[in-house]
Amino acid sequence: MSTRTSTPTAAEVAPRGCTNLKLRQITRRVSRHYDAVVGASGLKTTQYSLLSHIVSLGPVRPSDLAATMNLDNSTLTRNLQPLVAQGWVEMSAGVDARSRLVSITETGRAKRAEAQRFWKQAQMALNQQLGIERVARLHALLDECLSLMDSSDEGESDE
């Protein structure tokens, strides 16, 4: 009786199915989970993320915020509008007449802190469901893939 100890063939490790579909499926599931938990604060997870970025970067130029979050400027503007309307974020004049700065208000800080407690609950529940080691490996794999894609994108623009 022989035991197979050789490395798997390319056919044995080849991806099955569409990577885009699989990523969209997991993203929808994870988003529904976070939205259900974080939504108890009155914020969407996208709004919580935006407030968190403004806290860490702010005051920040909208274009820099959009670049950091990998958003189009128009998407950022659309996402900022309800936060400004609620008084959680404010737009002010920048260093010159053509620039603006986005900053969080005290009310926005309080709303973010409230939502952060819910976000932590959502993260802990996901860690529990999937296993913390698997989540850590997933984060590392996603970071690696993003880095490779960023490097590839930079190479394309140099041509």
Side-chain angles (χ1 to χ4, degrees), residues 12-31:
E12 292 171 325
V13 296
R16 293 178 161 274
C18 175
T19 302
N20 185 50
L21 174 63
K22 289 183 178 295
L23 286 170
R24 290 177 60 93
Q25 288 173 330
I26 190 71
T27 300
R28 282 193 296 267
R29 292 283 300 272
V30 171
S31 292

Side-chain angles (χ1 to χ4, degrees), residues 34 123 126-127 134-144:
Y34 277 88
Q123 183 65 52
L126 190 70
N127 290 350
R134 183 173 286 115
V135 172
R137 287 194 321 264
L138 177 61
H139 286 200
L141 180 60
L142 292 170
D143 289 343
E144 181 184 359

